[in-house]
Amino acid sequence: MTAVSTEQLSKDMQASAQKLEEAGLIPQSQDQPLNANDLLFYLTGTSMPMADLLQQHGLFLDDRGLNYALAQFGAISQIANKVIAERRSGYLDGVWKQLDLSTDEDMDSNGTYILTALAALEILYGPNRSRQ
């Protein structure tokens, strides 16, 4: 597992802003450049059971910064894709119920937020990232 400080994450995001925006990560404030809070927004706006599941797979924020385990991204992606598939089918009694996911106005983003965050982390720190 790797940890990156929020300061370093912000610097890395600003250096790769165009690629991150192409991957779907958008700044939360249009009058400021991308920063760590923009990425963290995609990970923290979920239920406690989903946050616990992400932490079990090595994706969480603590006093060291953002922790991630690239090897776990496949497992996390499978869960996020299942969330999306259940939403599309209207079936909210499976993983939705298990993870106590939101059924408010953000319900369409419950899985896509996680996938967007994973894509951003792959761009920034994945094995195929371009050297800056």
Side-chain angles (χ1 to χ4, degrees), residues 6 9-10 13 24-30 33-47 50-51 54 59-61 66 101-102 104-118 120-121:
T6 54
L9 180 59
S10 289
M13 289 175 67
L25 188 74
I26 56 171
Q28 299 305 301
S29 174
Q30 295 299 322
L34 275 174
N35 63 53
N37 290 330
D38 297 316
L39 177 60
L40 297 175
F41 169 81
Y42 287 84
L43 295 173
T44 58
T46 192
S47 67
M50 177 62 113
L54 293 174
L59 186 57
F60 61 94
L61 184 66
L66 180 64
L101 294 173
S102 171
D104 64 11
E105 67 274 0
D106 290 333
M107 73 186 291
D108 289 329
S109 301
N110 275 304
T112 56
Y113 278 3
I114 302 298
L115 293 177
T116 299
L118 293 180
L121 289 169

Side-chain angles (χ1 to χ4, degrees), residues 26-103:
I26 56 171
Q28 299 305 301
S29 174
Q30 295 299 322
D31 61 346
Q32 294 182 11
L34 275 174
N35 63 53
N37 290 330
D38 297 316
L39 177 60
L40 297 175
F41 169 81
Y42 287 84
L43 295 173
T44 58
T46 192
S47 67
M48 289 302 293
M50 177 62 113
D52 289 344
L53 184 69
L54 293 174
Q55 186 166 359
Q56 290 171 17
H57 287 287
L59 186 57
F60 61 94
L61 184 66
D62 66 9
D63 59 344
R64 297 185 315 150
L66 180 64
N67 295 268
Y68 63 92
L70 289 171
Q72 292 293 311
F73 282 13
I76 296 170
S77 291
Q78 286 180 340
I79 295 162
N81 282 313
K82 189 169 186 176
V83 166
I84 293 167
E86 284 189 7
R87 165 65 176 114
R88 287 186 181 147
S89 72
Y91 178 71
L92 304 181
D93 289 328
V95 72
W96 275 79
K97 191 172 190 176
Q98 176 188 7
L99 296 175
D100 191 30
L101 294 173
S102 171
T103 55

